[in-house]
Amino acid sequence: MFKATVLLSLFIAATYPCFSQTAPKDKVSNLLAQLRTARPDTNQLNMLRQLGSYYLERHFRLNKPDLDSAFVFFKRENSLSTKLHVEAGSGRLESLCSLGTVYLSKNMLDSGKACFMQVVDFYKKNGNKQQEAKTWERFGKTTELANWPLVPANLVTEIIGAYNNAITLFIATNDRQREIMARYNLAHGHFKFGLIYLAEKDCIQAIEKYGNSSFSNMGAIYFILAHINRYRGNMNKALLYILESIRRIDKSHDTTNIRVRQASMFGELAEVYDALGQTDNSVAWYKKTLALRENLNLPLQQKYRTAGFIVKGLIKQKRYSEALALTIGIEKRHPPDDNYDKAIITQIKAYCYEALKDYKNAEAAYVEMMRLYPKTTADEIVSLAKYDIAKFYITQKKFERAAFYLDEEISKSAAVTRSRDFYFIKYKIDSAKGNYLLALQHQYLFKQFSDSIFNSNKSKEIQELQIKYETDQKERNIKFLTKEGLLQHEKAVRANNTRNLTLAISVLLIFLMCLIFNSYRIKQRTNVALNALVNEKDKLLAEKQWLLKEIHHRVKNNLQIVMGLLQRQSAYIDNDEALAAIQNSENRMHSIALIHQKLYQSENLDLICMQEYIDEMIGYLKDSCGLYNHILFEKQIDELYLDVAQAVPLGLILNEAITNSIKYAYKPDEAGIIYISLVSKADGNNQLTIADNGPGLPAAFNINKVESLGINLMRGLAKQLGGSFDIISEQGCIINIDFKTEIFNRVTAKQK
């Protein structure tokens, strides 16, 4: 009954999702990266929920060993939600259900049930019967799926009890849709555990209560009844119920996972037609099933098995090449993930080789198929694979090998059609061995099963059902075509209106284009005149820039001449004070000349880069004072651009302050450090600092009474800058000047 369980379990997942929506695979790496730096809040809770659900779904849907990863994220979610006092959503209650799912998947029933019961007790205490019912149903379904395909006997009572509790609570809250789904889950549980009579009884009770209603979930009830009756060989009832199931879903406006549900229903209808020997109908519905399943996130074996049924149908129709092409195509589109998938696709290839009479490759494929399948007796798919290889060996008249592979389990739990086929194979093997008594017994059983499927009453009823279904389909098609005709008429009217509107708009556009063209011609003439003016302006601007550079160059040269004259004059003076005054004057002249040099060498004729200027000034002062390396300069200069009107006084201040530190802070050849800083502050001002670690100023020094030319000069230059001047004696001498960058109708480089 393994395959039946797969089909019904998928229908459960389609109609009532067990887990929260998971993050797409391509977002998982981003979520992991964000989680490392995420704050402990509800956003982090949501990340943990998505990651845990992603790994849990990989375990259930893709059979990946990701339970430990899921457990880690759900455990963190539970701890954080408890700390944040978040109950609902991605909170404590949901994390408990998720942890319970992980525990149940690890066969830790007590721990798993304890998690779910905490949630049940919470909702019971708060009087929320709706959520309590959902939790009971989720516990039952999770326990069932987590232990699929073989549920231990001790869990059957837990699962059935959980579904009954859910039904009782849904009835109390008058939630009929959820009640129907819970009844479906109960019926599925009974069917799965071999309690077919109870499963059928559950469905009949649901139909008696809600059969005349329009609830969309009733389609699931008819679906499971179709499945039960097909297994029993009641193909007339199976066809009746599956057609009703499809009719219900066609009329339903519920689009939740509709493709998954349609795929399950179409597949069941195809199986019924296959059992009835209607190969054309079977292949057509299997193809519809495969078209849906190939685009769904389902286990690969579901897609392969559906393709296998199509291939067997095509072989019956003698369309061998098409069967082989379909097999190769689906393997290429969906490569197998594990040995189980490889076994299924190899089995399908064996069908094709056998049909093409390539018996050598067919036998090799069948043997490889059995090697890849798990060695178990509880898997109906494996039992059917054994039936296939046994049937192959019978056609090859290798009866001993056929008997070796034939699985007795297929006659115990498979559908009636499979049991029928099993007894036919047994009849062949016994006849070949000369066991005629057993052969007659197996032939009798084969005939009995065949008669249970086909008889005149059933055949007549089946024909009537098909005619009724086809009639309903035709009526729906007529209604659809009528509706389409009305839509086409409306489209024609709209098209006519659109055409007239288009013509009117076209005329208007032509008129507008004429206006635009005329405007373009006028603008073109205007542009020619403007271009001439712009060219003239550019020419004048270039001449202006050249003249400005020439002026700066000549100013610099004139200052160099004055410096040269001062140097010659100093050669004829013996007075040290006069020589020092001349030297100071030379340095001041150089600080101004350097500014003009920077201006005519730069593309920008009005702004000075203070980083470059201060570097060159320090270099000049070191050379002129013969410092060598015993005085070091430490600099912290921001990228600051100043107008020439500010650069000149700032340069003179720097010259005075640095020269004073060189002369008075240190003895000749004494090592020292001069610190120079020019930075932009947060308040928008600039701060210039020149400091040394010399002896500092005299104790009685008063800046307001000092008669020093240098200090007075710096004070006056600071005032010219529009800033403040301050001198401090702390472990040396520190000069601070605060000033604002003046714009002078321009923007600074930083603003640019």
Side-chain angles (χ1 to χ4, degrees):
M1 201 177 287
F2 180 84
K3 183 179 178 295
T5 304
V6 174
L7 186 65
L8 292 172
S9 297
L10 286 173
F11 197 95
I12 287 178
T15 52
Y16 182 64
C18 186
F19 314 114
S20 61
Q21 187 174 357
T22 59
K25 186 177 179 180
D26 56 351
K27 292 185 179 179
V28 170
S29 56
N30 290 335
L31 282 171
L32 289 169
Q34 292 173 26
L35 190 61
R36 295 189 191 99
T37 57
R39 298 175 59 188
D41 54 15
T42 53
N43 185 45
Q44 188 184 65
L45 275 179
N46 186 47
M47 291 181 190
L48 293 168
R49 164 118 303 271
Q50 290 186 67
L51 288 166
S53 298
Y54 169 78
Y55 288 109
L56 188 59
E57 182 166 326
R58 275 171 58 89
H59 166 74
F60 273 93
R61 286 192 178 274
L62 304 178
N63 197 28
K64 300 294 183 182
D66 289 329
L67 281 177
D68 289 338
S69 299
F71 180 80
V72 169
F73 290 115
F74 288 139
K75 192 70 175 174
R76 288 180 61 185
E77 180 194 13
N78 182 260
S79 299
L80 182 57
S81 59
T82 303
K83 183 179 178 181
L84 297 175
H85 304 290
V86 178
E87 298 289 348
S90 293
R92 187 179 68 88
L93 300 176
E94 180 60 32
S95 66
L96 281 170
C97 290
S98 299
L99 284 171
T101 301
V102 174
Y103 282 128
L104 290 171
S105 301
K106 290 186 171 187
N107 296 318
M108 300 169 67
L109 174 63
D110 292 339
S111 299
K113 184 178 179 180
C115 289
F116 278 101
M117 291 308 103
Q118 285 185 60
V119 181
V120 167
D121 291 341
F122 175 86
Y123 288 129
K124 186 180 291 185
K125 189 181 295 182
N126 287 275
N128 192 336
K129 292 183 178 180
Q130 180 79 359
Q131 290 300 326
E132 183 186 350
K134 289 180 181 179
T135 307
W136 274 116
E137 187 177 20
R138 183 170 175 179
F139 168 64
K141 184 152 21 55
T142 303
T143 306
E144 184 178 337
L145 292 177
N147 292 277
W148 172 73
L150 296 175
V151 179
N154 65 311
L155 294 183
V156 172
T157 305
E158 293 282 359
I159 295 167
I160 299 302
Y163 290 147
N164 279 319
N165 288 340
I167 292 170
T168 302
L169 288 165
F170 282 135
I171 292 172
T173 57
N174 201 30
D175 190 340
R176 297 177 181 178
Q177 284 277 30
R178 298 302 292 264
E179 179 196 341
I180 293 169
M181 203 62 241
R183 288 181 180 277
Y184 170 86
N185 288 326
L186 179 63
H188 170 259
H190 281 140
F191 180 86
K192 182 175 179 179
F193 306 139
L195 305 171
I196 310 299
Y197 168 73
L198 291 177
E200 185 176 32
K201 182 180 177 183
D202 297 332
C203 293
I204 296 298
Q205 285 178 349
I207 291 173
E208 287 175 352
K209 190 171 183 180
Y210 297 115
N212 296 325
S213 68
S214 59
F215 294 128
S216 59
N217 284 344
M218 283 303 298
I221 300 295
Y222 285 104
F223 173 83
I224 198 169
L225 271 177
H227 201 78
I228 291 169
N229 281 279
R230 180 172 64 81
Y231 260 66
R232 286 177 168 174
N234 298 327
M235 296 304 165
N236 53 335
K237 290 185 178 180
L239 184 60
L240 170 68
Y241 289 131
I242 193 60
L243 290 176
E244 180 63 18
S245 179
I246 293 173
R247 187 182 70 82
R248 293 268 180 165
I249 199 171
D250 285 344
K251 291 177 66 177
S252 170
H253 298 293
D254 182 8
T255 58
T256 306
N257 289 312
I258 189 170
R259 293 183 181 277
V260 180
R261 292 197 278 175
Q262 282 181 327
S264 298
M265 291 175 177
F266 293 169
E268 182 64 25
L269 180 58
E271 292 226 40
V272 172
Y273 280 132
D274 185 31
L276 290 170
Q278 298 184 23
T279 305
D280 292 346
N281 284 336
S282 176
V283 169
W285 285 100
Y286 272 133
K287 283 185 175 180
K288 290 180 181 181
T289 305
L290 184 61
L292 290 170
R293 284 181 176 166
E294 280 206 78
N295 294 307
L296 293 170
N297 183 22
L298 297 173
L300 190 54
Q301 60 180 265
Q302 289 297 303
K303 301 171 185 180
Y304 279 177
R305 289 289 294 169
T306 307
F309 289 130
I310 296 173
V311 166
K312 292 179 82 171
L314 292 172
I315 289 171
K316 289 179 185 177
Q317 296 172 326
K318 302 188 184 304
R319 295 155 67 182
Y320 308 131
S321 299
E322 185 180 345
L324 185 59
L326 187 146
T327 306
I328 295 169
I330 194 167
E331 184 181 25
K332 186 176 181 181
R333 291 191 300 275
H334 309 284
D337 291 328
D338 52 33
N339 283 347
Y340 203 100
D341 296 334
K342 290 177 184 176
I344 298 174
I345 201 69
T346 304
Q347 184 176 0
I348 300 171
K349 289 177 183 177
Y351 298 155
C352 297
Y353 293 140
E354 184 179 0
L356 293 166
K357 294 182 170 39
D358 185 355
Y359 299 121
K360 183 178 179 181
N361 281 328
E363 183 176 11
Y366 278 125
V367 172
E368 176 66 8
M369 164 195 79
M370 293 310 303
R371 187 187 70 80
L372 292 169
Y373 271 128
K375 305 300 184 287
T376 176
T377 59
D379 190 331
E380 186 183 344
I381 292 178
V382 177
S383 296
L384 293 175
K386 292 177 181 178
Y387 167 82
D388 285 337
I389 192 171
K391 184 180 176 184
F392 168 75
Y393 278 126
I394 284 175
T395 60
Q396 301 298 303
K397 301 191 183 303
K398 298 177 180 179
F399 299 105
E400 291 293 334
R401 291 190 183 182
F404 173 78
Y405 283 108
L406 196 61
D407 192 346
E408 297 284 343
E409 291 295 321
I410 196 172
S411 65
K412 297 177 182 177
S413 58
V416 167
T417 51
R418 300 299 183 195
S419 298
R420 176 199 62 187
D421 296 340
F422 167 79
Y423 287 117
F424 180 75
I425 293 290
K426 290 291 288 183
Y427 157 71
K428 288 279 189 181
I429 293 172
D430 292 335
S431 298
K433 288 181 176 181
N435 297 331
Y436 299 115
L437 183 60
L438 282 175
L440 285 172
Q441 290 176 359
H442 289 141
Q443 186 186 36
Y444 172 76
L445 290 171
F446 165 72
K447 186 77 167 57
Q448 229 181 8
F449 279 114
S450 296
D451 291 344
S452 70
I453 298 171
F454 301 105
N455 59 50
S456 58
N457 290 333
K458 286 186 178 181
S459 298
K460 183 179 178 182
E461 189 176 344
I462 287 167
Q463 288 177 356
E464 289 174 355
L465 285 171
Q466 286 183 272
I467 292 169
K468 184 177 182 301
Y469 179 73
E470 289 170 3
T471 303
D472 290 343
Q473 285 286 94
K474 287 177 182 177
E475 288 178 358
R476 282 200 294 270
N477 289 338
I478 290 169
K479 289 179 181 178
F480 176 76
L481 289 172
T482 303
K483 188 177 179 180
E484 280 290 303
L486 292 172
L487 289 173
Q488 290 296 333
H489 176 70
E490 290 178 8
K491 285 181 181 178
V493 172
R494 285 199 298 270
N496 189 43
N497 293 337
T498 303
R499 183 191 61 192
N500 295 335
L501 181 63
T502 303
L503 288 172
I505 291 173
S506 299
V507 172
L508 180 61
L509 283 174
I510 292 170
F511 177 71
L512 289 173
M513 288 179 69
C514 291
L515 290 177
I516 291 168
F517 181 73
N518 184 54
S519 176
Y520 167 74
R521 293 293 302 273
I522 294 170
K523 186 177 180 180
Q524 202 173 32
R525 288 194 292 269
T526 305
N527 285 342
V528 171
L530 284 173
N531 285 336
L533 290 173
V534 169
N535 290 335
E536 182 67 22
K537 178 185 175 184
D538 290 343
K539 184 177 178 182
L540 291 172
L541 185 60
E543 289 179 0
K544 176 186 174 184
Q545 288 179 332
W546 180 84
L547 286 171
L548 284 171
K549 283 192 175 186
E550 184 64 23
I551 289 168
H552 286 304
H553 193 197
R554 291 191 180 187
V555 169
K556 180 254 183 181
N557 286 343
N558 290 337
L559 290 171
Q560 291 282 12
I561 291 170
V562 172
M563 289 168 62
L565 291 173
L566 289 173
Q567 287 173 356
R568 286 176 177 271
Q569 182 66 46
S570 64
Y572 298 97
I573 297 175
D574 295 332
N575 189 297
D576 290 341
E577 291 184 359
L579 284 171
I582 290 174
Q583 180 64 42
N584 288 341
S585 298
E586 285 183 30
N587 291 343
R588 291 165 185 154
M589 291 287 183
H590 182 268
S591 68
I592 299 171
L594 184 59
I595 287 174
H596 288 282
Q597 178 181 328
K598 300 301 291 182
L599 285 171
Y600 79 74
Q601 288 178 345
S602 171
E603 292 297 322
N604 196 336
L605 294 174
D606 51 7
L607 295 176
I608 307 296
C609 176
M610 298 311 294
Q611 279 184 335
E612 296 176 3
Y613 173 74
I614 292 172
D615 283 343
E616 291 190 26
M617 173 179 278
I618 290 170
Y620 169 78
L621 291 174
K622 286 173 69 175
D623 291 340
S624 65
C625 295
L627 297 181
Y628 304 104
N629 291 325
H630 68 276
I631 294 181
L632 299 178
F633 288 85
E634 287 190 3
K635 296 170 287 182
Q636 184 184 357
I637 314 297
D638 284 353
E639 188 179 351
L640 185 65
Y641 289 80
L642 295 181
D643 188 276
V644 64
Q646 284 191 300
V648 169
L650 195 69
L652 289 171
I653 290 171
L654 280 164
N655 176 75
E656 290 299 322
I658 295 170
T659 303
N660 284 344
S661 292
I662 292 171
K663 285 182 178 180
Y664 305 119
Y666 309 105
K667 297 176 183 179
D669 299 327
E670 181 185 0
I673 298 174
I674 298 176
Y675 174 80
I676 300 169
S677 168
L678 179 58
V679 295
S680 298
K681 299 194 298 183
D683 60 2
N685 284 357
N686 305 311
Q687 184 178 56
L688 173 66
T689 302
I690 304 101
D692 58 58
N693 58 354
L697 299 171
F701 180 82
N702 188 338
I703 189 172
N704 296 319
K705 296 181 179 180
V706 71
E707 297 296 329
S708 167
L709 174 62
I711 290 176
N712 287 330
L713 181 61
M714 285 190 285
R715 184 190 291 114
L717 291 169
K719 190 173 182 180
Q720 185 178 335
L721 279 170
S724 63
F725 175 79
D726 191 21
I727 184 166
I728 305 168
S729 180
E730 289 182 4
Q731 296 180 352
C733 183
I734 302 172
I735 296 174
N736 284 321
I737 296 172
D738 275 20
F739 66 96
K740 280 191 175 181
T741 302
E742 295 292 342
I743 302 301
F744 299 112
N745 296 321
R746 293 182 299 272
V747 293
T748 64
K750 202 167 188 180
Q751 291 170 316
K752 290 178 183 177

